[in-house]
Amino acid sequence: MTPPGRRTFLEQYAVIRHAEGRGSADRCYYESLPWKDVTGRNSEQWKIRARSYRHFERTILRAAERESGRALRILDLGAGNCWMSYRLSLRGHFAVALDIFIDDLDGLGARRNFNGPPPPVAADFDALPFADQTFDLAIFNSSVHYSPDYRRTLAEARRCLRPSGTLVIIDSPVYRLAEHGEQMRAERQAYFERTYGFRSDALGSIEYLDTRTLAALSNTFGVEWTARRPWYGWRWALRPLRARIRRQRPPSRFLILSGRFPAR
């Protein structure tokens, strides 16, 4: 990522996030996440995040805790306001919150709202400032789709994981066909341009995953994906049917993807 591209992205991202009503002057807002958005501004999105996190906690995290028998070292990639790192620390784990967005309301600066805040690291996915084999879990927290190059991004995550470590992808849009993801990206960028006057494409982010890309990453790295499908309610489940009736592109799915890299 070039410095000018990064600077442009961060400036535009702040405009969008603040316009969407992210963050609050009330620390109760942060301590309530992801279970409740006390501002009411993004409640439906936080309901999705809460169900994803609960599913991850009940399946992947508990299994890792049983297997290790000790506190885990966890890298929260795309930590945002640090809510997930905070939740993980409450379970006794050592979680590092990493993001390039350091905003006081919606970025790493918001960590001050938590008691015993997690350590923050401002860094890119493709240049992680950690030694090899540091972490037990590397979690892309609604964030891997910001990567412009999945191979580079996953290679860095693999480097920082211990041999028995697990890579987790949560709350990133997944499509069966790349063409549907491309349609979503075009629609999203057109909306930003109409609303804010810019397309918010300075990073060159891919913005979605698709079946073929996941298979290619599996071939490249030898990682075998396990896909979990949290239940988000009937309204979410009926989205594909509504899209077909309206002759719209298929909506994305939110899968929880996990995998381990083979020994090198």
Side-chain angles (χ1 to χ4, degrees):
M1 184 191 311
T2 64
R6 175 178 175 145
R7 182 168 57 252
T8 298
F9 168 79
L10 291 174
E11 290 171 353
Q12 295 178 349
Y13 190 71
V15 170
I16 293 169
R17 301 294 282 189
H18 293 169
E20 291 175 342
R22 310 284 178 171
S24 172
D26 183 357
R27 69 181 302 164
C28 181
Y29 165 80
Y30 299 94
E31 294 177 343
S32 299
L33 298 178
W35 316 124
K36 183 179 181 180
D37 175 5
V38 298
T39 70
R41 291 188 291 252
N42 296 283
S43 296
E44 291 304 312
Q45 292 181 22
W46 280 110
K47 286 179 183 177
I48 296 294
R49 303 301 307 277
R51 291 179 180 181
S52 295
Y53 180 72
R54 180 64 79 196
H55 196 89
F56 156 75
E57 189 180 52
R58 188 173 62 248
T59 57
I60 299 169
L61 183 58
R62 288 181 183 174
E65 290 169 341
R66 289 193 299 268
E67 183 178 339
S68 67
R70 56 170 172 77
L72 300 170
R73 295 182 64 87
I74 304 175
L75 180 56
D76 181 3
L77 292 155
N81 64 32
C82 304
W83 71 267
M84 182 181 285
S85 293
Y86 174 67
R87 291 289 164 193
L88 293 168
S89 69
L90 291 180
R91 293 178 70 96
H93 303 303
F94 178 76
V96 175
L98 182 140
D99 208 306
I100 62 171
F101 195 47
I102 60 174
D103 184 75
D104 285 343
L105 284 175
D106 193 48
L108 296 180
R111 64 185 287 274
R112 71 184 189 281
N113 293 285
F114 298 107
N115 290 318
V121 175
D124 298 332
F125 291 159
D126 297 345
L128 300 176
F130 307 108
D132 295 356
Q133 302 184 13
T134 299
F135 297 97
D136 300 293
L137 287 176
I139 305 170
F140 284 99
N141 180 4
S142 188
S143 61
V144 75
H145 51 279
Y146 287 104
S147 168
D149 185 337
Y150 289 142
R151 285 182 171 83
R152 288 184 60 185
T153 298
L154 263 64
E156 266 294 87
R158 176 180 62 174
R159 180 185 65 78
C160 293
L161 277 172
R162 291 171 173 167
S164 60
T166 300
L167 175 73
V168 184
I169 296 174
I170 300 178
D171 289 346
S172 282
V174 181
Y175 294 89
R176 288 188 173 86
L177 299 178
E179 66 188 76
H180 297 145
E182 289 298 315
Q183 290 174 30
M184 177 277 295
R185 180 166 63 175
E187 292 165 7
R188 180 179 171 85
Q189 291 178 356
Y191 168 77
F192 286 152
E193 190 164 35
R194 290 194 308 270
T195 306
Y196 305 110
F198 51 78
R199 297 178 64 82
S200 189
D201 57 358
L203 291 187
S205 304
I206 299 172
E207 299 193 25
Y208 65 90
L209 292 161
D210 63 88
T211 302
R212 182 173 293 180
T213 295
L214 288 170
L217 293 171
S218 180
N219 290 334
T220 298
F221 294 103
V223 60
E224 294 187 7
W225 300 111
T226 297
R228 296 172 174 84
R229 294 171 173 80
W231 175 251
Y232 295 122
W234 283 109
R235 183 178 179 183
W236 180 271
L238 291 173
R239 288 164 71 243
L241 177 60
R242 289 198 301 270
R244 284 198 296 271
I245 293 172
R246 297 170 181 172
R247 297 184 178 181
Q248 299 171 336
R249 63 162 175 81
S252 65
R253 295 169 292 162
F254 273 10
L255 308 177
I256 297 180
L257 301 167
S258 64
R260 287 182 172 178
F261 296 100
R264 290 175 289 172

